[in-house]
Amino acid sequence: RNDSEKCALNGEKDQLCTDEVEKARVLSSKVEALEGVHDRYTNVLLDLKECNMGLDKSRADVSSWESSCSEIRTESLGEIRELEEKMTLLSETLEKCEVDAETQKKKFVSLQADFDDLDSYNTELIEERTDSENRIEQSEKKMNGWINIVDRMEEFIAKRSHTNVIENYGDGPYRVTFILDFLDDPDEGTELNNRFVIELAPLDLMPHTVHTFLDMVSRKLYDGCYFAIGSNALLAAAPESRDPAQRNELLSPFKELGMIPSLA
């Protein structure tokens, strides 16, 4: 009996062990399954964390992009306003240019009409200039003719004067002695030379002047005349006097012979 009871107890213990082992095996399987789930959950958490990090980065990029877009939009709006102002200014300038162009067109038409008038007037001026040039040419021919006549007359007078000087006064050189009468008496002890001689220019150089002067001297026209200071302190003999009556008396013989001194 005791042996049977022991065998029954051992049989129960073996059954219990077998059950416990089975439970342990099941629990181990569940634990392994839970560990697998835990690993997957951990991986999912890591993936979620990475996704959150990517999402944060994307949000930051979106925020930066929105900021950039806002700045670009602000700059674009400023540029658009500036372009609109420029367009307005260009439009006003274009209108002004159109008005100026119309004004200039009117002026051009007016100037064209004036130019036509000037062209006609220029034609008249050309005709008048041609007539004037013809008259000038004729006048120059006449003047040249008179110049030739004057040259021939001067040549004739020079030859005649040369001949008269040789015939009346002989060969040169020609000298004239002046005798002076001083208006004021000299101081006592002062000796004054009241004579001086002048020599005329060569006859071949100034024949008519030499002849005229010698002729006036020989006719005693300078007798009683005075010495006067002319331009550039030039001392010259002339029929001059402060007394008008005496001046006319001295000048009268010169006028009668048609010989008027240059200082008279």
Side-chain angles (χ1 to χ4, degrees):
R1 183 178 173 183
N2 289 332
D3 291 335
S4 297
E5 290 177 357
K6 289 180 180 179
C7 289
L9 290 171
N10 289 332
E12 290 177 0
K13 288 181 180 178
D14 291 337
Q15 183 63 40
L16 290 173
C17 289
T18 301
D19 293 336
E20 292 296 330
V21 170
E22 183 65 24
K23 290 179 179 178
R25 188 182 62 78
V26 173
L27 287 174
S28 177
S29 298
K30 290 182 178 180
V31 169
E32 289 178 357
L34 287 173
E35 288 178 352
V37 171
H38 179 269
D39 291 338
R40 289 195 298 274
Y41 178 74
T42 301
N43 292 331
V44 170
L45 289 178
L46 291 174
D47 292 338
L48 288 174
K49 186 176 181 181
E50 291 179 359
C51 288
N52 287 330
M53 292 175 63
L55 182 61
D56 291 338
K57 184 178 180 181
S58 298
R59 287 175 178 173
D61 292 339
V62 170
S63 178
S64 177
W65 180 79
E66 288 178 349
S67 178
S68 299
C69 289
S70 178
E71 293 177 358
I72 293 172
R73 182 173 179 274
T74 302
E75 293 177 358
S76 299
L77 289 175
E79 292 177 355
I80 290 171
R81 284 193 295 269
E82 185 177 354
L83 288 174
E84 289 176 349
E85 292 175 356
K86 289 183 179 180
M87 287 295 293
T88 302
L89 181 61
L90 287 174
S91 179
E92 294 175 354
T93 304
L94 180 61
E95 292 178 359
K96 184 177 179 181
C97 289
E98 290 177 350
V99 173
D100 292 341
E102 187 66 24
T103 303
Q104 294 297 328
K105 182 178 179 181
K106 293 179 180 179
K107 288 183 178 180
F108 177 78
V109 173
S110 178
L111 288 174
Q112 184 66 37
D114 294 339
F115 180 78
D116 293 338
D117 295 338
L118 286 174
D119 189 30
S120 176
Y121 181 68
N122 188 36
T123 303
E124 295 177 359
L125 287 178
I126 292 174
E127 294 176 355
E128 292 180 359
R129 179 182 177 183
T130 303
D131 294 339
S132 298
E133 289 176 350
N134 292 332
R135 290 194 296 269
I136 290 172
E137 184 178 0
Q138 294 176 359
S139 298
E140 288 178 348
K141 290 181 180 179
K142 290 181 180 180
M143 183 180 294
N144 291 331
W146 283 110
I147 290 173
N148 291 330
I149 293 173
V150 170
D151 291 340
R152 290 197 297 270
M153 289 180 65
E154 288 180 351
E155 185 180 358
F156 173 77
I157 291 172
K159 290 181 179 179
R160 184 174 179 181
S161 296
H162 190 281
T163 301
N164 288 337
V165 170
I166 297 297
E167 291 178 353
N168 295 325
Y169 306 104
D171 296 331
Y174 306 100
R175 299 181 179 88
V176 177
T177 301
F178 282 83
I179 302 174
L180 304 178
D181 290 332
F182 295 99
L183 296 179
D184 298 327
D185 294 332
D187 296 334
E188 293 182 2
T190 302
E191 294 183 1
L192 295 177
N193 185 4
N194 64 340
R195 292 173 178 266
F196 68 91
V197 179
I198 64 172
E199 182 174 333
L200 305 184
L203 183 61
D204 293 337
L205 181 63
M206 303 176 69
H208 182 62
T209 301
V210 172
H211 176 253
T212 301
F213 183 74
L214 291 176
D215 202 19
M216 288 191 293
V217 171
S218 65
R219 294 173 184 269
K220 301 184 181 299
L221 297 182
Y222 280 105
D223 290 357
C225 290
Y226 293 82
F227 275 97
I229 298 177
S231 61
N232 297 324
L234 179 66
L235 185 64
E240 294 289 342
S241 176
R242 294 178 181 178
D243 185 358
Q246 185 179 12
R247 184 178 185 279
N248 291 330
E249 182 180 352
L250 293 172
L251 190 59
S252 178
F254 288 92
K255 290 182 177 181
E256 290 177 358
L257 296 175
M259 298 178 179
I260 308 300
S262 59
L263 293 180

